[in-house]
């Protein structure tokens, strides 16, 4: 597999996650010599593959984007999307350590929206 | 070498030293381990704020696409409340109901419905408290637990009745910040005016006659037909804020983008509101489809496509027509449909160019008009 032209940032995270990413690419792309793995096996492989801590998951997303591995990017982005679901804005901020940077007026707007949405 | 492996090595060395001889202060060892653990925990979350915008969009687009229906759709609203960056991305991804067929933020209740399949809602009436609640269905059933959209309370005044419409089911009082509009009848309860608390058009106030926060947007008229109370009544709705061009090829209806009373400094409505000059255009008029007399069943019938199951004089279907031309009731698609399905339970289906707020207000008039006989 040839590496694409380097255009994305954070090569460090790519270096950390590249071996894991490349092994995934090999196992899922080598169809020329072996039969395709059953869908269920691939699904459980994917589920196990993303059972990592959030920092590694972050690195995997960047690596998948940098190496242009669509399947891995889809898998990791969907994993993060699943982590977001069923949480309030404050809970999401805690999970991802994101700062609340709304002005007081924006915060009031957000609070009213969520009060209605969670009604 | 990764940060994690460095921490592991450091901890291993500290443990090895501790095993060889007891340390004068075990607290010092615990403090080093605690700092390492805290740093590790911080690292778990610290980088997500730096996720490149295109990747954040990938993630949030997946949340939006996977939750088309309520109650899970609230996850999209939650994402828009995390921080400014997330809010900007979510608001770019979420499309208006006219295009997506989905209700997301509260403002989508003031935006025109979808052009194809209608949005299916239902109304619960509470006679004891004279309150009405609009819900969107969670399933394809006629009514279920539903997701709350609007609440309205009826107030009796000396010369009219008024319904205040609110986004808060516990607060339907005048002057409330969550009040989005009202319906007011004339003395005879044959004519109604729907007022929007939010200006439907950009630019200066249309007329200085209207108090701040009271913009008339619909005039509703009820008439008996030639058969009097034995026949179905006639109703028409003059949509003051929607031009006839909205239902023509390539036409658009006014689309509000923010509630100013949620954030008085927010004024994100200018670019998508019909400019003042178009108000001289003909206004859209909605007229009710005339039912047909069914000789065998001996009753007036309309095809509600299974969405209305109990006969009632309140039931109606409105179609959009040009005021200057009679409605072609055979071929026009129904814009708004309302009807009874049980005790104090009614379905409400609406489409472009009508919004949920307008549809709800029109249906409230059906409850109130003096021409109602059950």
């Amino acid at each position: 597999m040839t590496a694409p032209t380097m255009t994305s940032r954070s090569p460090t995270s790519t270096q950390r996650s590249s071996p894991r990413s490349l092994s995934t690419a090999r196992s899922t792309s080598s169809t020329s010599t072996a039969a395709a793995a059953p869908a269920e096996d691939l699904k459980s492989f994917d589920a196990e593959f993303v059972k990592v801590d959030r920092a590694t998951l972050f690195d995997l997303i960047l690596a998948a984007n940098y190496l242009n591995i669509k399947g891995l990017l889809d898998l990791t982005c969907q994993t993060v999307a699943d982590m977001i679901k069923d949480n309030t804005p404050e809970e999401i901020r805690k999970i991802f350590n994101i700062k609340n940077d709304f002005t007081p007026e924006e915060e009031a707007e957000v609070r009213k929206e969520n009060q209605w949405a969670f009604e | 070498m990764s940060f994690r492996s460095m921490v592991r090595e450091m901890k291993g060395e500290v443990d090895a030293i501790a095993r060889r001889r007891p340390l004068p202060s075990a607290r010092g060892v615990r403090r080093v381990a605690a700092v390492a653990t805290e740093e590790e925990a911080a690292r778990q979350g610290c980088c997500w704020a730096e996720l490149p915008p295109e990747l954040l969009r990938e993630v949030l687009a997946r949340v939006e696409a996977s939750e088309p229906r309520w109650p899970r759709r609230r996850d999209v609203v939650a994402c828009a409340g995390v921080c400014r960056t997330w809010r900007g991305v979510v608001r770019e991804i979420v499309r208006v109901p006219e295009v997506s067929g989905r209700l997301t933020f509260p403002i989508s209740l003031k935006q025109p419905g979808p052009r194809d399949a209608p949005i299916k809602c239902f109304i619960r009436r509470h006679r004891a408290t004279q309150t009405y609640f609009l819900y969107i269905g969670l399933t394809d059933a006629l009514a279920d637990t539903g997701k709350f959209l609007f609440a309205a309370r009826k107030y009796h005044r000396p010369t009219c009745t008024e319904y205040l419409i609110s986004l808060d089911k516990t607060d339907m009082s005048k002057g409330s910040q969550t009040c989005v509009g009202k319906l007011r009848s004339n003395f005879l309860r044959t004519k109604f005016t729907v007022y929007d608390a939010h200006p439907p058009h950009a630019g200066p106030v249309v007329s200085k006659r209207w108090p701040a926060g009271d913009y008339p947007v619909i005039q509703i008229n009820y008439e008996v037909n030639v058969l009097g109370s034995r026949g179905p009544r006639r109703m028409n709705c003059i949509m003051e804020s929607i031009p006839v061009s909205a239902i023509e090829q390539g036409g658009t209806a006014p689309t509000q983008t923010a509630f100013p009373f949620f954030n008085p400094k927010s004024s994100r409505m200018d670019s998508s509101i019909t400019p003042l000059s178009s108000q001289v255009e003909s206004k859209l008029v909605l007229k009710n489809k005339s039912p047909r007399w069914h000789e065998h069943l001996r009753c007036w019938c309309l095809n509600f496509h299974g969405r209305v199951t109990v006969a009632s004089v309140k039931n109606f279907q409105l179609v959009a027509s040009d005021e200057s031309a009679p409605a072609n009731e055979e071929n026009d698609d129904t814009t708004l449909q309302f009807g009874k399905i049980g005790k104090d339970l009614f379905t409400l289906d609406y489409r472009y160019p009508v919004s949920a707020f307008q549809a709800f207000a029109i249906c409230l008039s059906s409850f109130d008009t003096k021409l109602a006989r059950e």
Side-chain angles (χ1 to χ4, degrees):
Chain A
M1 183 177 119
T2 54
T5 310
M6 300 194 176
T7 53
S8 302
R9 59 184 104 168
S10 65
T12 312
S13 65
T14 311
Q15 287 164 8
R16 279 199 294 273
S17 298
S18 279
R20 195 176 170 87
S21 307
L22 284 174
S23 73
T24 306
R26 275 196 216 104
S27 73
T28 54
S29 67
S30 56
T31 53
S32 57
T33 54
E40 274 182 30
D41 288 350
L42 282 174
K43 211 169 163 185
S44 359
F45 176 86
D46 286 352
E48 287 302 312
F49 189 81
V50 288
K51 278 185 185 167
V52 293
D53 58 67
R54 287 194 295 278
T56 306
L57 186 60
F58 181 85
D59 292 340
L60 281 174
I61 291 181
L62 295 189
N65 184 51
Y66 177 73
L67 295 171
N68 201 21
I69 306 173
K70 188 181 180 310
L72 184 60
L73 186 63
D74 287 344
L75 174 64
T76 47
C77 286
Q78 187 61 51
T79 303
V80 178
D82 293 339
M83 285 164 62
I84 288 171
K85 293 176 187 177
D86 277 334
N87 286 298
T88 62
E90 184 53 41
E91 286 163 351
I92 297 172
R93 283 187 212 117
K94 276 190 188 138
I95 292 170
F96 297 101
N97 198 31
I98 292 174
K99 188 170 171 295
N100 179 353
D101 59 353
F102 289 123
T103 63
E105 291 82 16
E106 288 167 342
E107 182 67 40
E109 186 176 347
V110 163
R111 193 169 39 250
K112 287 190 167 65
E113 271 180 9
N114 279 270
Q115 184 183 346
W116 172 85
F118 283 78
E119 176 67 64
Chain B
M1 179 187 280
S2 76
F3 179 73
R4 275 167 61 186
S5 48
M6 277 170 57
V7 167
R8 243 180 260 124
E9 210 173 271
M10 187 172 72
K11 282 178 74 175
E13 282 179 6
V14 169
D15 287 344
I17 294 169
R19 274 196 299 275
R20 281 199 294 273
R21 67 163 188 239
L23 291 172
S25 168
R27 265 191 305 175
V29 173
R30 283 199 296 275
R31 196 179 303 126
V32 167
V35 166
T37 308
E38 279 172 11
E39 285 175 343
E40 177 62 25
R43 185 177 171 271
Q44 295 286 344
C46 70
C47 41
W48 289 96
E50 297 153 22
L51 190 67
E54 64 273 18
L55 296 180
L56 176 62
R57 193 185 172 89
E58 285 282 327
V59 171
L60 296 181
R62 278 167 171 73
V63 175
E64 197 278 336
S66 63
E67 310 292 6
R69 301 189 81 149
W70 291 91
R72 298 298 300 269
R73 190 107 184 121
R74 66 187 179 204
D75 292 337
V76 181
V77 180
C79 287
V82 170
C83 66
R84 285 180 142 195
T85 304
W86 283 44
R87 189 170 186 75
V89 173
V90 171
R91 291 185 83 97
E92 280 175 12
I93 292 168
V94 170
R95 299 196 293 172
V96 291
E98 181 183 335
V99 172
S100 66
R102 299 170 183 177
L103 299 178
T104 311
F105 298 104
I107 194 61
S108 55
L109 302 176
K110 286 278 193 83
Q111 296 171 339
R115 288 188 183 250
D116 37 30
I119 290 183
K120 296 178 179 175
C121 307
F122 61 92
I123 296 175
R124 286 190 198 280
R125 172 175 58 181
H126 292 241
R127 289 180 193 256
T129 52
Q130 306 240 290
T131 49
Y132 303 79
F133 299 100
L134 177 68
Y135 299 87
I136 183 171
L138 303 181
T139 62
D140 291 328
L142 291 180
D144 45 37
T145 46
K147 190 265 170 276
F148 168 75
L149 300 182
F150 280 130
R153 172 163 286 147
K154 182 174 179 176
Y155 292 89
H156 293 276
R157 311 282 187 222
T159 57
C160 66
T161 51
E162 245 184 23
Y163 292 78
L164 294 186
I165 301 171
S166 169
L167 283 166
D168 185 345
K169 57 165 53 169
T170 61
D171 184 6
M172 289 161 270
S173 56
K174 195 171 184 178
S176 162
Q177 272 213 315
T178 54
C179 181
V180 298
K182 65 184 176 191
L183 172 78
R184 181 186 286 163
S185 73
N186 66 349
F187 181 72
L188 295 175
R189 281 142 76 174
T190 55
K191 294 185 190 305
F192 297 79
T193 303
V194 178
Y195 296 91
D196 195 333
H198 180 189
H201 298 286
V205 173
V206 174
S207 167
K208 289 182 183 171
R209 283 188 295 151
W210 310 117
D214 269 348
Y215 301 91
V217 290
I218 309 175
Q219 302 289 346
I220 308 169
N221 300 298
Y222 286 91
E223 296 167 358
V224 292
N225 70 9
V226 293
L227 297 175
S229 61
R230 286 174 297 162
R233 58 200 181 185
R234 285 165 50 188
M235 64 186 288
N236 67 70
C237 305
I238 302 170
M239 311 297 285
E240 303 273 358
S241 59
I242 303 178
V244 168
S245 59
I247 58 169
E248 291 165 3
Q249 187 74 15
T252 55
T255 303
Q256 299 171 2
T257 57
F259 280 116
F261 37 79
F262 272 8
N263 179 1
K265 293 184 184 174
S266 163
S267 57
R268 295 188 294 277
M269 52 178 282
D270 304 70
S271 60
S272 55
I273 299 296
T274 312
L276 207 56
S277 59
S278 72
Q279 290 163 30
V280 299
E281 290 183 51
S282 295
K283 296 162 191 171
L284 180 68
V285 177
L286 303 179
K287 292 181 180 168
N288 68 318
K289 272 189 187 174
S290 295
R292 294 177 183 275
W293 177 253
H294 197 293
E295 192 59 45
H296 182 66
L297 295 175
R298 309 291 296 170
C299 64
W300 297 96
C301 292
L302 271 174
N303 182 4
F304 287 96
H305 305 285
R307 293 281 297 161
V308 174
T309 55
V310 178
S312 168
V313 70
K314 293 183 183 44
N315 301 345
F316 65 80
Q317 286 179 326
L318 295 182
V319 292
S321 64
D322 188 339
E323 199 172 16
S324 59
N328 183 346
E329 291 165 356
E330 289 297 324
N331 298 328
D332 280 347
D333 287 329
T334 303
T335 300
L336 168 58
Q337 174 176 289
F338 171 75
K340 192 170 186 177
I341 56 171
K343 187 175 177 350
D344 297 322
L345 195 55
F346 305 80
T347 55
L348 181 167
D349 300 345
Y350 74 96
R351 289 172 62 233
Y352 177 89
V354 166
S355 68
F357 164 69
Q358 292 163 343
F360 186 42
I362 292 171
C363 294
L364 288 174
S365 72
S366 183
F367 286 110
D368 198 66
T369 180
K370 269 297 199 187
L371 298 181
R373 293 285 183 270
E374 283 194 292

